[in-house]
Amino acid sequence: MPLCEAEKLVELLKKTGKTLSTAESCTGGLIGGAITSVPGSSEIFLGGAISYSNEVKERLLGVKEDTLVAHGAVSEETAREMVMGARDLFRTSTAIAVTGIAGPGGATPTKPVGLVYIAVADGPRVVVCRNIFKGDREQVRSQTVATACDLMRELIEGKL
C-alpha cells in the first residue's frame, strides 16, 4: 500500500486546513484505506464512497445517466462527475475520484486493462488525468492510489 504518498497528502491537508473525501470504483476503497492508515487522518478525511456499480455512481454521487450511456463508466466525464459528487456529498474542500479497468477482464478495444481516470478537486478546480498503468490487477490498483495522492497534492500546491 502506497503509504508514503498518503502520508504526504495528509500532512499537506492538515497544513492547509482542507478536508478530503473520495469516490472510488476500481480501487474499491484502497485510497480511503491508505489515507486512514495515517495517524491523525481523522482531522482531514471525512468519508468515501465505493461506487462500483453505475447505479451507485448515479444515485449516490449524482453521475448523470446520460454521461454513463454516452461515455461509459470508465471515462473522463464520469470521473469528473464522481469527484464533484463526492465533494458535494461529503461537503469537503477537496476530493479524489477514480474509475478504471484493473483487469484481468473488462477491457475493450478502446479501453484496455490498466486504463484509469483519476479526478481531483480543490474547491471549484477539477483536474482529470487519463492513465494507462501496467501490471496485474493489484499493481494497477496500487499505482492508482499512489498517483491519485500525488495528483491531489500537486493540485493543492498549485502545480496543476
Side-chain angles (χ1 to χ4, degrees):
M1 188 179 301
L3 283 179
C4 182
E5 292 83 0
E7 288 170 351
K8 291 176 191 172
L9 178 56
V10 169
E11 180 180 315
L12 178 61
L13 288 164
K14 283 181 179 181
K15 181 179 171 184
T16 58
K18 295 179 185 273
T19 55
L20 174 69
S21 59
T22 58
E24 301 183 60
S25 187
C26 61
T27 50
L30 291 176
I31 297 170
I35 296 292
T36 58
S37 293
V38 179
S41 59
S42 60
E43 295 174 36
I44 56 90
F45 186 71
L46 300 192
I50 299 172
S51 54
Y52 216 60
S53 74
N54 286 353
E55 179 186 344
V56 172
K57 286 176 180 68
E58 288 179 55
R59 192 166 24 94
L60 191 63
L61 299 173
V63 174
K64 297 179 196 110
E65 181 181 9
D66 291 348
T67 300
L68 293 165
V69 170
H71 304 284
V74 180
S75 66
E76 176 180 346
E77 295 81 2
T78 296
R80 182 177 301 277
E81 291 182 22
M82 286 173 65
V83 80
M84 292 186 304
R87 186 193 58 203
D88 294 346
L89 176 67
F90 292 100
R91 297 180 180 155
T92 54
S93 50
T94 69
I96 297 171
V98 295
T99 183
I101 303 167
T108 68
T110 58
K111 295 183 179 182
V113 168
L115 174 63
V116 178
Y117 288 91
I118 301 172
V120 291
D122 182 8
R125 293 182 304 151
V126 176
V127 174
V128 183
C129 293
R130 180 183 187 271
N131 304 272
I132 298 183
F133 297 118
K134 302 291 184 204
D136 63 20
R137 182 177 183 82
E138 189 56 40
Q139 291 168 323
V140 167
R141 288 161 41 107
S142 180
Q143 290 171 78
T144 299
V145 173
T147 303
C149 289
D150 281 344
L151 282 172
M152 185 77 258
R153 236 179 350 99
E154 288 177 4
L155 182 63
I156 293 168
E157 292 171 344
K159 296 177 181 175
L160 292 179

